[in-house]
Amino acid sequence: MHIILVEDDPQLGAAIQRALERLAYTVSWLRDGREALIALRDQTADLVLLDLGLPGKDGLDVLIEARRIHVKTPVIVMTARDGLDARVRGLDAGADDYLIKPFHLEELGARIRSLTRRAQGLAANRIEAGALSLDLGTSEVAFRGERVELTKREFALLQILIERAGRLVRRESLENSLYGLDNMVGSSALEVLIHTLRRKLSYDTIQTVRGFGYMIPREPE
């Protein structure tokens, strides 16, 4: 899952980035409102964490403009503006959630999981597809009743595919979610990741649709 973090406070931004990367998220950290709007227009992220008090362009104006041009990416606003009027303006402007600073990073993680579930039409942290199960809350994976140890990026890849079990996920979408704005990733990085994940599960768990992308069937063997 690729998250764009828009936060101009260096200490808070670094802390959030570290915490989310420990949870297997790919994080692109921006510090300016104008940069944030450009990134939102591209719609390559799965989620945006948006501070409001930004240099260049206020975060609320970024949100309003993004929704005006039909950017549908989920947005969690993070701000010290805790008055009722500020919260109402943020939600009415198109925020999907509103988090008051200071906050615990555990709460931020829970809100991200909640918003992810809603976006995928899921009701719980545990996702199952046949003999495969993944728990978003504990980051645990089991296959045929046995726990499987995955790297953070392998877990992130599996999460994307299992949330969309039975549906094709295009290669470009996977690369955006896994690698974000990193232009230094090799052209074969995704294939290598798919290969290592198949070795830990089974080859048939992830199907290749040549020229398009990958999918996990609803009932993988």
Side-chain angles (χ1 to χ4, degrees):
M1 183 176 184
H2 175 211
I3 296 176
I4 291 179
L5 167 63
V6 190
E7 172 58 64
D8 65 323
D9 183 296
Q11 290 185 328
L12 179 58
I16 293 174
Q17 183 177 37
R18 286 194 302 269
L20 295 181
E21 288 177 345
R22 285 198 296 267
L23 295 173
Y25 297 118
T26 299
V27 181
S28 298
W29 180 13
L30 305 177
R31 299 161 176 82
D32 181 274
R34 289 168 297 192
E35 292 179 346
L37 184 56
I38 293 171
L40 262 73
R41 283 172 177 160
D42 290 341
Q43 300 197 64
T44 58
D46 301 293
L47 177 71
V48 176
L49 301 177
L50 181 65
D51 182 26
L52 295 186
L54 295 169
K57 192 176 186 69
D58 186 78
L60 186 62
D61 293 334
V62 170
L63 180 58
I64 291 171
E65 176 65 14
R67 295 312 191 208
R68 188 187 67 79
I69 59 176
H70 308 297
V71 173
K72 297 180 180 179
T73 308
V75 174
I76 298 177
V77 165
M78 311 177 302
T79 181
R81 302 176 190 175
D82 59 352
L84 176 60
D85 289 345
R87 297 199 302 273
V88 170
R89 283 198 301 271
L91 293 168
D92 282 345
D96 297 274
D97 201 351
Y98 198 99
L99 191 56
I100 303 298
K101 297 178 181 177
F103 52 80
H104 290 286
L105 293 173
E106 291 82 358
E107 181 182 3
L108 175 60
R111 287 176 183 257
I112 291 172
R113 290 191 294 272
S114 175
L115 192 53
T116 301
R117 291 197 306 269
R118 293 205 306 269
Q120 297 300 325
L122 302 170
N125 279 333
R126 187 178 180 84
I127 309 171
E128 297 182 346
L132 182 62
S133 68
L134 178 148
D135 193 305
L136 296 174
T138 62
S139 298
E140 292 182 353
V141 173
F143 184 60
R144 295 173 181 166
E146 298 291 330
R147 184 170 176 177
V148 181
E149 296 292 338
L150 300 182
T151 66
K152 293 175 182 177
R153 191 149 279 170
E154 288 166 353
F155 182 90
L157 170 60
L158 183 60
Q159 177 185 343
I160 297 166
L161 293 173
I162 198 172
E163 285 177 343
R164 299 158 178 79
R167 292 180 283 162
L168 170 69
V169 184
R170 290 187 173 274
R171 176 191 178 94
E172 296 83 2
S173 177
L174 285 170
E175 289 177 334
N176 285 333
S177 293
L178 292 168
Y179 305 113
L181 304 179
D182 185 357
N183 295 319
M184 302 301 292
V185 176
S187 59
S188 63
L190 181 58
E191 284 85 352
V192 172
L193 191 61
I194 291 283
H195 176 71
T196 59
L197 188 54
R198 281 172 168 158
R199 286 175 55 191
K200 293 183 177 182
L201 301 172
S202 75
Y203 184 83
D204 294 332
T205 302
I206 302 173
Q207 297 178 354
T208 301
V209 182
R210 294 201 177 277
F212 294 96
Y214 303 89
M215 66 177 290
I216 287 179
R218 292 189 183 278
E219 297 290 336
E221 298 295 331

